[in-house]
Amino acid sequence: MGPVRGFRRRKRAAKDAAAAGQEGGDWWVDFSRRITGHLSLPEEPRKFESVFKISRMTFNYICALVRDDMMSKTSHLAFADGKILSVEDQVAVALRRLSSGESLLNIGVSFGVNQSTVSQVTWRFVEAMEERGIHHLKWPTTQEMEDIKCKFEKIRGFPNCCGVIETTHIMMCLSSADTSNVIWVDHEKKHSMLLQAIVDHQMRFRDVATGWPGSMSELSVLRSSGFFKMCEKGARLGGEEMELPEGFQVREYIIGDSGFPLLPWLLTPYQGKDLSDAKTEFNKRLSATVAVAQCALAKLKDMWKIIGGEMWRPDKHRLPRIILVCCLLHNIVIDLEEEVRDDALSSHEHDTSYKQQLCNIADNNGVMLRDKLSAYLSGRLPP
């Protein structure tokens, strides 16, 4: 897929912000001197990328996004020595909190601020990113979708495929003595919040829904999402059909694993044993394509570890907003980084302790579309 609309404009803005930061003196030189504890390296200066996992250009772009919002709130947040935190200081503290998942105490010790300051700064950053960064997570335009469909077809041959859907668990450590927490207990007897995501071929999130308790199934989360309602009304995945050999028309659709229902616009694997060669081949191709979304979620949790581990008694009203901002940051890195990291596709394990759920719901139109695509992909489409 080519650059998304506005990509070059955002890239220029990031470079301009980087240049402005350098003209005003290098903020990082002063900030890095404050780093103590396990993040400090006495023998050599700590590299920016090793602390924040993003490039300086991306960091400057994020600062430019949230600067007005974070400066508009009167604040006396300061380091232990009394120096007022600049916007760059605040963004650095928040990014470290989100990317490392370390406790408020550890972050405070590393950067010379108290726990309450880390908490306030992180939440202010989350609020600003929700407002200013949301344009990085949007459903593709018609032109973008054509590119996405082309790239998905090149991956494993699926024609007119618009994305991959996947669900993951955000682990929480909640009190079992509190009966109100029962709803958050999932099928593996753990407390969790669910995140549903639709991903494009570049592992960019195109639609997310979160906040649902772990006790819900993938089917229930899907049906409760705005994405499902829009698809059922034809407002999503209602674009032009593609004509295949022998006059076979294929509508727009996404694909998912066996935890999702088979629908006219959502294709899932064949279930059962002793499948035909064509069905087995279909499942292999679908599994390889679904891996794109699995890798995206694995990368999300690996890079933004605040949602990758088990969160200690989080505010369940704030957590969905933190998850959303982590998804926004994930997309910003994809939009702005010069190169994809070498380990970006190294793993697709994002729910390592969870077994695959199965959904047996199958819409007749979905069954017909899957059968015809299976025949097409195996080269056996009847005349």
Side-chain angles (χ1 to χ4, degrees):
M1 173 184 169
V4 297
R5 179 171 295 178
F7 173 84
R8 293 186 178 88
R9 185 168 58 254
R10 292 195 292 270
K11 200 72 169 288
R12 286 197 300 270
K15 290 181 177 178
D16 291 343
Q22 291 172 355
E23 289 174 2
D26 195 344
W27 158 84
W28 172 244
V29 172
D30 177 64
F31 186 85
S32 62
R33 294 193 184 108
R34 296 179 176 276
I35 298 177
T36 60
H38 69 287
L39 283 180
S40 63
L41 289 177
E43 67 278 7
E44 63 179 66
R46 190 69 170 175
K47 292 184 177 179
F48 178 90
E49 289 79 4
S50 65
V51 176
F52 301 108
K53 297 185 179 181
I54 60 175
S55 70
R56 280 295 301 276
M57 184 186 75
T58 301
F59 175 82
N60 288 331
Y61 173 73
I62 293 171
C63 288
L65 270 184
V66 302
R67 184 175 302 279
D68 289 345
D69 282 24
M70 298 192 77
M71 289 181 66
S72 65
K73 299 179 181 179
T74 302
S75 172
H76 299 291
L77 299 173
F79 290 103
D81 62 6
K83 180 180 180 294
I84 299 297
L85 272 69
S86 67
V87 170
E88 287 75 14
D89 295 329
Q90 294 181 56
V91 171
V93 170
L95 286 178
R96 180 63 191 179
R97 169 71 171 143
L98 297 177
S99 65
S100 70
E102 294 176 353
S103 67
L104 299 174
L105 175 61
N106 286 346
I107 299 294
V109 169
S110 294
F111 295 153
V113 294
N114 61 46
Q115 296 181 57
S116 63
T117 298
V118 176
S119 178
Q120 291 179 64
V121 164
T122 302
W123 187 243
R124 288 177 63 179
F125 175 76
V126 167
E127 290 181 316
M129 278 299 301
E130 280 184 304
E131 180 70 21
R132 301 300 178 182
I134 195 63
H135 59 280
H136 281 276
L137 200 164
K138 59 183 179 63
W139 192 247
T141 64
T142 301
Q143 181 179 353
E144 290 169 358
M145 186 60 82
E146 290 305 312
D147 290 333
I148 290 172
K149 291 190 285 189
C150 179
K151 293 301 192 301
F152 269 120
E153 186 167 10
K154 289 182 179 179
I155 292 176
R156 285 296 185 273
F158 284 97
N160 227 26
C161 176
C162 299
V164 182
I165 188 171
E166 181 71 333
T167 301
T168 195
H169 294 79
I170 308 300
M171 304 285 292
M172 301 185 293
C173 182
L174 301 178
S175 171
S176 298
D178 186 346
T179 56
S180 67
N181 289 330
V182 173
I183 192 174
W184 301 98
V185 178
D186 55 43
H187 63 280
E188 295 293 343
K189 308 303 180 185
K190 301 173 183 178
H191 292 105
S192 65
M193 181 177 289
L194 292 167
L195 164 63
Q196 174 188 281
I198 290 90
V199 179
D200 69 19
H201 66 287
Q202 290 183 316
M203 299 191 292
R204 183 183 289 105
F205 296 118
R206 289 299 189 166
D207 186 281
V208 297
T210 190
W212 309 110
S215 58
M216 293 177 65
S217 66
E218 289 183 329
L219 171 63
S220 298
V221 173
L222 174 65
R223 285 177 168 172
S224 300
S225 68
F227 180 80
F228 178 87
K229 296 177 176 64
M230 292 184 74
C231 289
E232 290 294 289
K233 293 178 180 178
R236 288 268 172 93
L237 303 178
E240 291 186 11
E241 295 184 345
M242 176 181 289
E243 184 172 347
L244 299 183
E246 311 303 333
F248 172 38
Q249 299 287 330
V250 179
R251 61 162 295 162
E252 289 186 340
Y253 60 91
I254 58 174
I255 60 175
D257 61 27
S258 301
F260 292 98
L262 175 62
L263 302 172
W265 48 267
L266 171 53
L267 300 185
T268 58
Y270 288 99
Q271 298 183 32
K273 300 180 180 179
D274 301 320
L275 297 176
S276 66
D277 290 344
K279 292 180 179 180
T280 299
E281 175 65 19
F282 177 90
N283 282 0
K284 287 181 179 179
R285 289 172 181 260
L286 185 141
S287 178
T289 309
V290 167
V292 175
Q294 294 170 340
C295 286
L297 290 171
K299 182 179 179 183
L300 173 75
K301 287 184 170 184
D302 180 65
M303 188 160 185
W304 306 105
K305 287 186 170 58
I306 194 168
I307 61 172
E310 187 175 39
M311 300 186 70
W312 175 257
R313 299 188 178 182
D315 183 327
K316 294 183 286 293
H317 298 289
R318 286 188 169 188
L319 181 53
R321 299 171 69 180
I322 293 173
I323 295 171
L324 170 61
V325 167
C326 288
C327 291
L328 294 176
L329 291 168
H330 169 97
N331 281 4
I332 287 173
V333 171
I334 293 176
D335 288 345
L336 296 181
E337 296 292 301
E338 295 288 348
E339 298 177 357
V340 177
R341 296 174 185 271
D342 293 338
D343 61 349
L345 292 171
S346 61
S347 172
H348 59 264
E349 298 294 333
H350 61 89
D351 264 350
T352 53
S353 58
Y354 286 85
K355 296 178 182 178
Q356 174 67 60
Q357 293 180 285
L358 297 178
C359 179
N360 296 315
I361 294 178
D363 179 274
N364 288 335
N365 290 327
V367 171
M368 289 189 292
L369 176 59
R370 184 174 64 180
D371 286 345
K372 288 186 176 181
L373 277 177
S374 175
Y376 166 74
L377 294 171
S378 66
R380 299 176 182 178
L381 191 65

